Amino acid sequence: MENYLPVGAGFRVTTTKRTIPGHVLKGIGTIVETPPGIAQFQIPNSDGRRNRLKCAPKIKRRGHAMNITEEYLLSGPQGWLGSIYSAAQLTCWISTCNAGSRSGPSFGMRSWTPSGRP
């Protein structure tokens, strides 16, 4: 057998804030050993090779507040491949032309090249 789906799990944290905290958009697509807040659940550590992948957050505006859901996906038995998932980053930019826009900031994926420059 060459392909299989390893059993995994996801860990989600949902908060409500007036603005989007900077840490929410940092490190998206990268490997995380211990997601923030997971210790309170006292989940037994696996064999030490599994880790988690930080996914893009889901952000919904609710009146004057934001519902922010951060998600971390548990890897398969051998962990997420660092050569693939260590360089992906989400960039957030607000250009001068939409800084006054009611729709808020623009979000997008920055392409990655071996040199690390887009």
Side-chain angles (χ1 to χ4, degrees):
M1 179 183 314
E2 293 182 24
N3 298 308
Y4 66 95
L5 178 64
V7 177
F11 174 70
R12 291 185 186 141
V13 177
T14 301
T15 57
T16 302
K17 303 280 184 185
R18 301 273 282 154
T19 60
I20 302 170
H23 78 274
V24 170
L25 299 174
K26 290 183 182 169
I28 293 172
T30 59
I31 297 169
V32 175
E33 296 299 324
T34 307
I38 199 168
Q40 66 183 335
F41 297 104
Q42 300 176 359
I43 298 171
N45 195 0
S46 60
D47 60 8
R49 289 181 283 188
R50 287 186 179 232
N51 47 33
R52 289 165 182 83
L53 182 67
K54 182 176 180 177
C55 299
K58 290 160 185 66
I59 302 170
K60 293 181 184 177
R61 182 181 298 269
R62 299 283 184 189
H64 295 290
M66 308 274 182
N67 281 350
I68 303 164
T69 300
E70 298 177 75
E71 184 172 8
Y72 300 85
L73 294 179
L74 184 65
S75 70
Q78 303 302 314
W80 293 105
L81 294 175
S83 58
I84 295 173
Y85 296 106
S86 64
Q89 290 288 323
L90 179 74
T91 60
C92 172
W93 64 94
I94 303 175
S95 67
T96 55
C97 63
N98 76 0
S101 168
R102 294 183 66 114
S103 63
S106 301
F107 298 95
M109 291 300 292
R110 183 172 81 186
S111 61
W112 180 82
T113 60
S115 67
R117 290 185 224 128

